[in-house]
Structure formats: structure tokens, C-alpha cells
Amino acid sequence: MSLDRDRRARLAIAGAYFVQGLCFAALVTRVPAIQAKHHFTDEELSLVLLAVPVFAGIGSALSGWLAARFGSGALLRVAGPLVCATIAATGAAPNRPALYAVLVVFGLGVGAVDATMNMQGVAVQARYGRSILASLHAVWSVAGILGALASVAVAGRIPLAAHLGIVGAVGVALALTVGPGLLTRAEIRGAQSSAVPVAEGATGTAGTAQARVPWKPVLLIGIAMMFMYIADSSTSNWHGPYLLKELGSSEAVAPWAYFFYQGFQVLGRSGADRLGERFGSVRTVVVGALVGTLGLVLVVSAQSPWWGIAGFGVLGLGLCAIVPQSFTAAARLDPDNTGVAIARVNLFNYAGFVLGAPLVGLVGNLRLGFVIPLVLVLGIIPFAGAFRSTVADRVGNAA
């Protein structure tokens, strides 16, 4: 394997993470503006937010089938620019029917991008022979910070359509630039995964690639990730309305919650690869869940906008390593490097969003609504054992 090729692949997939993080942050931080433009009530907005992850789940499921046949890189090169284009179309949608149509396409595209970029990330990690997935997710968080800062800068200054149109155009240009550097199907199949051991029981079975991926560990890992994404979805979709309505924030201040949430994820993810290798996946997941719970305690008890913003920051620090650990654990279940296990685990991402997107708003009181993800983040801990497969975990158990 060529070191230059590995570096080029890492830069390319890092670019894909950056594009996805930038576009997603631009959209979620302008949810209050979208709500105001189309005159949605909180209940109506909850249903709109619910529909997006439903279609994203469909896109993720399809991506597992398509990637196994055509390669995750080829699929990502199509889905990435598509998501960027729909970001622009979301801001330009003149009425509710147009917005609904755009969000359907957006959901399908996001599901495909989320699955395929993690397939690519795990494949690059295997070629490097050491953990790097958290650092790639840190790039996603950096882009989220920039997207949130842009929303702070333009709120009340330029129209929603212009803002999302600029973000979409920048995203398309970046996605097309990094696309040629992604790993091909043949390169992924040939990647050595000595740094990512295959889970016990995942090899030696007959049948298709789908049959070779065991469902039980996928389910356990997926439930833990689903609880994390319920909290993440609640934060992404309701941080703005919560600060505005419950804590008396202005529209210009509210996006700082997402900025701090992503900012502390960057801080955590910058060292999460090393911590995971040293202390093991189980301890990393347990500590992350405890810190995330503390963050949501601060959010629920907040009496001022900046107290709530600080709580979202602590939440981001706690949750930062759970997703990279989930996809790394899923990769160990796929002996043929098809991406099927990652696509399956990624479905729980959208199960979390399906439940989390409307959950806080449907309670009726946003402060009480955030108690639900608080309890669920704590509920990650019983599932942490499903992540046990790294060398650090085995050493820790023997000690």
C-alpha cells in the first residue's frame, strides 16, 4: 500500500466529513428561521423534523446494498453533492409542499452520505493500521462550528435563501474536489484490518456478505448509538427553540449552543483515538455517557442562555467518542469489508433521530422535554460491553 495514496485518501474522506458537517450545521442552526418562514407551530415542526430521519434511514439501508455492489466511494461522489444542492433548495423553497419535497431528497441523500463516509473512514483507518476515525469525526465537528458561526454572523442580516444557497454552493465545490481521492471498491476490499480485529463469530460462516454480518452485536451497538443520537437530535433540532423560548435568548445568541456543542466535540475527538486505544472502548463509552448526562443536567437546570449553552458544550464533550467507537466496532463485524455492518449500525443513527427530532417538542414544555434524552444517555452504559474488542479492553479485563 502506498503511503501517499493513504494520505490522499485520508484527506479526501476528511473533506467529505467537512462538507457534511458544514451543510448539516447550516441547516439545523437555521431551523428557527425555517419555522418562522413557513409558520410552523412547534408540533408541526416536530413532524417535519421526524420525516427527515425516516427517509435518511431508507437512504442508509439502500447505501449498504449499493456500496456492496458499486463501492462506497462511487456512491459518496454522487450523494455528497446532492445533499449540498438540497441544502440550497431548502432555503429557497417558496412554500410547504416544495419544502417537503426537498426534505425527502435531503433525507435520502444524508442517509447515503452518512453511511458511505463512515465506510470510507473505517477503510482508511484499516490501511493506516491504527485508530483515526474519531479524528475524522472531529473534522465534521470543526465544520459544524464554522457552520454555526456563519449562522450567528448572518442571522437577521441576509435572507435564509441566500445563506443556505452560499453554503450549498461551497459544499458542492468541495465535494466534487475531494471525490476523486476516495478509495475505490477494490482498494477497500484489499485493505488490511490488523488494527481493527474482526469480532469473534464474524468469520467462518457461509453465505452472502449480509449473512456473514451477525445481527446480535449490531443490535447492541446500535441501541447505544441510538440513545446517543436521540440526545444529538434533540440538541441539533431544539437548542434554538429552547434558548429562545425557555431561556429568553435572542436569535443571534441561540446558535452559540450548537457552536459549543460541536466545539467540545472537537476537543474530545482530538484525543479520543488515543484514549480509546489506551483505556479501551468500554471505559471510553461509559465515561462519555456519564459526562453527557452531566451536560444535560446543566441544560435542564439552566436559568440563563449561557448556562444552557455551557450544558450543551459538556454534552458534546461526553458524546464525542461514542459514534466513532460504534462504527469501529461495526467494522469488526464485517470480515469482507463490504460496508454492510456499518450501514446497519447507521440505521440506528436515524432511529435516534426519528425518536429524538420530535421528542422534546411533543412533550409541550421544552425544559421537561430534555429530561428524556438525559435519561437515555445514562442508559448507554449497560450496552457498553458490546464495544469490547480492542487490545486495550482485553488488557484492562486481564488486569
Side-chain angles (χ1 to χ4, degrees):
M1 289 177 283
S2 167
L3 183 59
D4 288 342
R5 177 64 184 112
D6 292 347
R7 289 173 176 169
R8 188 161 67 92
R10 184 174 183 175
L11 287 173
I13 190 56
Y17 275 90
F18 184 90
V19 170
Q20 182 78 333
L22 181 69
C23 289
F24 185 76
L27 184 62
V28 299
T29 54
R30 298 311 302 271
V31 164
I34 294 172
Q35 181 179 16
K37 177 180 178 178
H38 296 282
H39 308 290
F40 289 121
T41 65
D42 284 348
E43 291 74 16
E44 289 171 336
L45 180 62
S46 294
L47 295 176
V48 172
L49 297 176
L50 173 65
V52 173
V54 169
F55 285 99
I58 296 173
S60 181
L62 289 173
S63 70
W65 182 81
L66 292 170
R69 287 156 179 77
F70 305 107
S72 57
L75 184 56
L76 182 54
R77 293 181 68 175
V78 174
L82 176 64
V83 168
C84 301
T86 56
I87 289 291
T90 299
N95 50 48
R96 289 189 180 187
L99 178 67
Y100 299 151
V102 169
L103 290 179
V104 167
V105 179
F106 172 75
L108 292 171
V110 163
V113 170
D114 281 348
T116 53
M117 74 180 185
N118 281 295
M119 293 175 197
Q120 287 277 315
V122 166
V124 173
Q125 176 173 262
R127 290 170 68 98
Y128 267 73
R130 58 184 172 84
S131 180
I132 64 167
L133 195 59
S135 68
L136 294 175
H137 281 267
V139 172
W140 189 94
S141 296
V142 168
I145 292 172
L146 295 177
L149 286 174
S151 294
V152 170
V154 305
R157 294 181 175 86
I158 69 173
L160 175 68
H163 173 211
L164 295 185
I166 293 171
V167 172
V170 170
V172 168
L174 289 175
L176 293 176
T177 299
V178 303
L182 298 171
L183 293 174
T184 66
R185 183 188 182 197
E187 288 173 323
I188 290 176
R189 290 293 180 88
Q192 299 299 317
S193 46
S194 57
V196 187
V198 176
E200 182 179 353
T203 61
T205 58
T208 64
Q210 287 82 358
R212 289 168 62 84
V213 176
W215 264 107
K216 182 178 179 180
V218 166
L219 180 63
L220 296 176
I221 295 166
I223 291 173
M225 192 166 80
M226 179 180 70
F227 288 168
M228 177 273 170
Y229 269 112
I230 289 175
D232 184 80
S233 174
S234 298
T235 299
S236 298
N237 290 301
W238 294 103
H239 70 274
Y242 178 66
L243 264 70
L244 290 168
K245 296 179 180 181
E246 297 293 335
L247 303 181
S249 170
S250 66
E251 185 179 349
V253 170
W256 283 102
Y258 195 72
F259 170 84
F260 272 76
Y261 176 70
Q262 292 294 346
F264 277 86
Q265 287 214 352
V266 171
L267 290 177
R269 285 172 173 169
S270 64
D273 287 316
R274 293 187 296 273
L275 291 175
E277 290 180 343
R278 180 173 180 181
F279 298 107
S281 302
V282 175
R283 293 176 183 175
T284 301
V285 170
V286 169
V287 172
L290 290 173
V291 174
T293 301
L294 174 61
L296 282 168
V297 168
L298 294 175
V299 170
V300 171
S301 64
Q303 299 300 313
S304 69
W306 289 105
W307 183 285
I309 289 169
F312 285 118
V314 175
L315 174 64
L317 181 64
L319 300 184
C320 69
I322 293 174
V323 173
Q325 290 290 344
S326 298
F327 286 120
T328 297
R332 301 184 189 108
L333 305 173
D334 187 354
D336 299 319
N337 293 326
T338 63
V340 170
I342 289 176
R344 287 179 179 177
V345 167
N346 194 51
L347 290 174
F348 291 88
N349 169 352
Y350 302 113
F353 265 92
V354 166
L355 295 174
L359 195 60
V360 172
L362 291 177
V363 170
N365 181 296
L366 297 181
R367 187 184 298 274
L368 292 177
F370 271 105
V371 173
I372 299 175
L374 185 159
V375 173
L376 293 178
V377 168
L378 193 61
I380 291 172
I381 295 174
F383 295 93
F387 294 78
R388 182 179 289 113
S389 55
T390 66
V391 173
D393 285 322
R394 297 192 190 99
V395 171
N397 291 336

